[in-house]
Amino acid sequence: MNDSKNMIIAVVLSALVLIGWTWAANRYFPTANPPSTKVEAGKQQPLPQPQAQPSAPSASKAVQSVSAALASSPRVEIRTPSLQGSINLKGAQIDDLLLVNHRQTIARNSPPVRLLSPLGTPAAYIASFGWTAQNGQAPGLDTVWSADSQSLTPGRPVTLTAQTVDGTRYQIRIAVDEGYLFTIQQSVTNASGQPLTVRPIGLVSRAGQSADRSTWQNHTGPIGVFGGKANYSVNWKDLDQGTTETFQTDSGWLGFTDKYWLTALAPRSGMSAEFRRSPSGGYQADYALATASVAPGQTLSTESRLFAGAKEKALLDRYENAGIPKLSFAIDWGWFYWFMIPIFNLLLWLFHTLGNFGVAIVCLTLIVRAIMFPIAQKQFQSMAGMRKLQPKMKAIQERFKDDKPRQQQEILKLYQAEKINPAAGCLPILLQIPVFYALYKTLLVSVEMRHQPFILWIKDLSAPDPLTPVNLFGLLHFSPPAYLAIGVLPIMVGATQWLSMKLNPQPMDPAQAQVFAIMPWFLVFIMAPFAAGLQLYWMTNNILTIAQQWWLYRRYGLHLSDTHPVHT
């Protein structure tokens, strides 16, 4: 009767754990990128990825296509190994930018990711630099600038020039490197007969929020570094409520981040920075430098930098070393960045050495297991002793079945007499949790893992396994909903976990044994929505654990029957 009651309680608690985990994962532990492919009707097909959600345009504003917007104004071409696009000479806006090394989907003919789009388009996103003038005129959004070149390439900057009616000349010199960094030099030459008070400004404006949800694990939205500290505290909701977030800093940067992409302004001097809703109804990050008075005939020059591209760690580190403070913190590594970055660097080195991120994950698992081997060997010795004690422990349970406190005391005395530590098996698991979490974060936030294939049907290690038996591995003409799309890898995770647990000492309590028996299959549902790379790591770790257990079984002369309770 008690065993049945315990079993019912155990099953109910297991179900609550599964439901609770689903809630916690959605809120605190986002599982993976949206699926990159689906397998249906026997074919693997790429899936479209979510796009940024623009703010609703007002009735007086017409929304036009990107191609129409690009054709409506004179432009300077941008062409680098990493970027392609153009500068709008009307308003001197950098508003057309494609990331040529990153595709929207895994399809071979997929267009590149579009980061910036002109004003008036559904996902408008621009960067602009200019001035405010207190007692004079400054160029505005309708000013058409002249350019000294028709194209901007690395090593060949472009200078934009505009002149006001009093002869004052404004210039913006734009240079770009082979990565994602623009260097902006602004100068104003006062040709009037009186002092001119100006204030250099820069802004990034976007029509809508990121398509990537901001979570406890990964911040998206307004971001910046002020006073040497990364700030992730400003979110879309704050700005929607009409709040203007202001920061005064001697150095730093600000902008907007998506999961993989960043647009950030980084002036070389102190600034007043703000996040707010823009006058057009979108979101704006802007800065203003110190106000300065330019005497007649004199020139004032300032310099800023614009990062607009993918958050590739090597480039972020390079720009950080070149003077943009803590730009690498645009990747939200979290509190344990000091541990996660070395794991990521090792994984990236393995990838560059081996040429496949899946193989790199397998090798990372091997390295971790090799480091843990001495600890695992001591664990197994303790477990071997536990196995051999099971007949004695069963006898104690039978002898004191009506006296639980005495039963526990006698078992504890048995452990002490035989010098057995029953908690020894927990240490290797505890030591691997940081590695597992570091890999989870790497798959979640690093653009280097995006759209990386493994073998066969695994085309994107940062997305869930798309091959599922629910639609007979794609033979049926439908795609199951996400909560039923249990892929092959999570099933393998559950199967290898079950086999590994069968090789461990089995609980002598029948109810506990039943719970342990079904937990690996709960794991199948828990792991199903996670990234395939994480599933691969867990499955590989289980296989290595089984191999290690088999080898140690042979070394210590044990058999599978030693893992099960002896019934008396």
Side-chain angles (χ1 to χ4, degrees):
M1 182 67 180
N2 286 335
D3 287 347
S4 299
K5 182 179 179 181
N6 290 340
M7 184 61 189
I8 293 172
I9 293 174
V11 170
V12 171
L13 289 176
S14 298
L16 289 175
V17 166
L18 184 60
I19 296 169
W21 167 253
T22 303
W23 175 86
N26 289 334
R27 185 175 180 86
Y28 299 110
F29 297 96
T31 48
N33 289 335
S36 295
T37 63
K38 65 177 180 178
V39 181
E40 187 176 309
K43 296 181 180 180
Q44 192 165 11
Q45 308 165 22
L47 290 171
Q49 299 300 295
Q51 303 296 316
Q53 297 299 315
S55 299
S58 62
S60 60
K61 295 181 180 178
V63 177
Q64 57 183 333
S65 67
V66 171
S67 58
L70 294 179
S72 66
S73 58
R75 293 184 168 271
V76 172
E77 180 188 18
I78 299 172
R79 188 174 66 254
T80 82
S82 304
L83 299 170
Q84 179 181 322
S86 60
I87 301 169
N88 189 351
L89 292 180
K90 185 178 181 180
Q93 299 170 5
I94 303 175
D95 64 353
D96 171 31
L97 214 55
L98 299 172
L99 311 183
V100 296
N101 297 324
H102 297 276
R103 300 289 168 176
Q104 293 181 16
T105 71
I106 64 171
R108 292 183 179 180
N109 61 348
S110 172
V113 169
R114 172 168 289 280
L115 181 62
L116 301 183
S117 299
L119 293 176
T121 60
Y125 196 178
I126 70 161
S128 180
F129 299 86
W131 296 262
T132 60
Q134 291 182 2
N135 51 352
Q137 293 182 343
L141 285 176
D142 294 328
T143 302
V144 178
W145 297 65
S146 62
D148 65 352
S149 176
Q150 293 303 305
S151 64
L152 170 64
T153 59
R156 296 184 60 186
V158 169
T159 300
L160 310 183
T161 303
Q163 189 167 310
T164 58
V165 293
D166 62 4
T168 297
R169 185 172 72 251
Y170 292 88
Q171 288 188 320
I172 303 175
R173 182 180 183 272
I174 305 174
V176 66
D177 69 358
E178 293 187 352
Y180 304 117
L181 192 69
F182 296 83
T183 301
I184 314 294
Q185 293 179 335
Q186 297 172 248
S187 63
V188 51
T189 301
N190 185 3
S192 69
Q194 57 184 350
L196 176 65
T197 302
V198 295
R199 193 175 192 185
I201 61 172
L203 64 87
V204 171
S205 179
R206 60 187 295 165
Q209 298 181 11
S210 170
D212 306 315
R213 184 168 61 96
S214 187
T215 68
W216 182 68
Q217 289 290 334
N218 186 37
H219 172 79
T220 62
I223 190 174
V225 167
F226 309 108
K229 295 182 179 180
N231 189 297
Y232 308 104
S233 63
V234 184
N235 55 54
W236 303 114
K237 188 176 180 180
D238 296 330
L239 305 187
D240 287 338
Q241 293 173 348
T243 303
T244 297
E245 300 285 349
T246 303
F247 302 88
Q248 300 287 338
T249 183
D250 293 333
S251 64
W253 55 269
L254 77 160
F256 294 109
T257 183
D258 301 292
K259 179 187 285 189
Y260 298 125
W261 330 119
L262 172 71
T263 306
L265 308 163
R268 287 194 179 273
S269 57
M271 63 174 170
S272 173
E274 285 187 349
F275 295 106
R276 56 193 174 92
R277 290 302 298 260
S278 66
S280 63
Y283 301 89
Q284 185 165 306
D286 56 56
Y287 72 82
L289 304 184
T291 301
S293 179
V294 186
Q298 298 298 307
T299 299
L300 171 71
S301 296
T302 57
E303 184 174 290
S304 297
R305 290 148 299 180
L306 168 68
F307 179 96
K311 296 191 292 186
E312 298 170 14
K313 186 177 179 297
L315 286 178
L316 295 178
D317 288 343
R318 183 202 303 176
Y319 299 143
E320 184 173 308
N321 294 332
I324 303 180
K326 294 193 173 181
L327 187 63
S328 62
F329 280 68
I331 302 175
D332 187 3
W333 294 108
W335 294 337
F336 302 105
Y337 66 92
W338 52 270
F339 180 79
M340 293 176 187
I341 291 176
I343 295 291
F344 171 77
N345 288 338
L346 174 59
L347 188 62
L348 200 61
W349 179 82
L350 289 170
F351 165 65
H352 290 311
T353 303
L354 302 169
N356 184 291
F357 252 117
V359 178
I361 290 173
V362 172
C363 288
L364 175 67
T365 315
L366 284 166
I367 292 171
V368 172
R369 293 295 306 187
I371 294 172
M372 300 289 184
F373 183 80
I375 300 172
Q377 188 171 8
K378 290 184 178 180
Q379 170 211 4
F380 192 87
Q381 290 174 348
S382 177
M383 290 169 58
M386 287 280 291
R387 292 187 187 99
K388 292 183 176 181
L389 287 182
Q390 285 205 355
K392 296 180 181 180
M393 293 170 62
K394 185 65 177 178
I396 291 173
Q397 285 187 328
E398 291 294 331
R399 190 183 313 151
F400 302 106
K401 60 182 178 181
D402 297 324
D403 189 351
K404 295 294 184 182
R406 178 68 185 278
Q407 181 186 115
Q408 295 298 323
Q409 290 175 6
E410 293 298 324
I411 290 177
L412 184 58
K413 288 180 182 179
L414 183 62
Y415 289 153
Q416 292 171 344
E418 299 290 340
K419 297 181 179 180
I420 298 297
N421 181 5
C426 299
L427 183 58
I429 297 173
L430 292 175
L431 291 176
Q432 288 192 68
I433 288 175
V435 179
F436 181 82
Y437 183 68
L439 183 60
Y440 161 75
K441 282 285 287 192
T442 295
L443 288 161
L444 183 69
V445 304
S446 65
V447 69
E448 289 84 354
M449 290 294 295
R450 179 178 182 264
H451 291 175
Q452 288 290 343
F454 179 38
I455 56 173
L456 302 176
W457 71 92
I458 305 296
K459 306 298 184 183
D460 185 359
L461 286 163
S462 67
D465 182 353
L467 192 63
T468 173
V470 177
N471 64 358
L472 296 184
F473 306 104
L475 295 177
L476 301 182
H477 292 257
F478 82 97
S479 294
Y483 62 89
L484 285 179
I486 302 169
V488 172
L489 280 180
I491 292 173
M492 291 297 295
V493 167
T496 53
Q497 187 72 35
W498 174 83
L499 182 55
S500 177
M501 291 178 69
K502 292 294 286 185
L503 294 175
N504 289 333
Q506 302 299 299
M508 288 178 290
D509 184 339
Q512 290 182 15
Q514 288 292 331
V515 171
F516 274 72
I518 63 175
M519 284 308 295
W521 310 115
F522 274 104
L523 188 63
V524 171
F525 291 91
I526 290 173
M527 289 299 297
F530 278 90
L534 203 62
Q535 298 165 355
L536 176 64
Y537 171 83
W538 197 317
M539 183 187 72
T540 304
N541 184 68
N542 286 345
I543 292 172
L544 293 174
T545 299
I546 293 167
Q548 186 180 42
Q549 288 172 314
W550 176 81
W551 180 78
L552 289 170
Y553 262 56
R554 297 193 64 182
R555 179 176 179 181
Y556 288 98
L558 294 169
H559 302 279
L560 181 61
S561 59
D562 295 322
T563 69
H564 295 269
V566 176
H567 297 281
T568 60

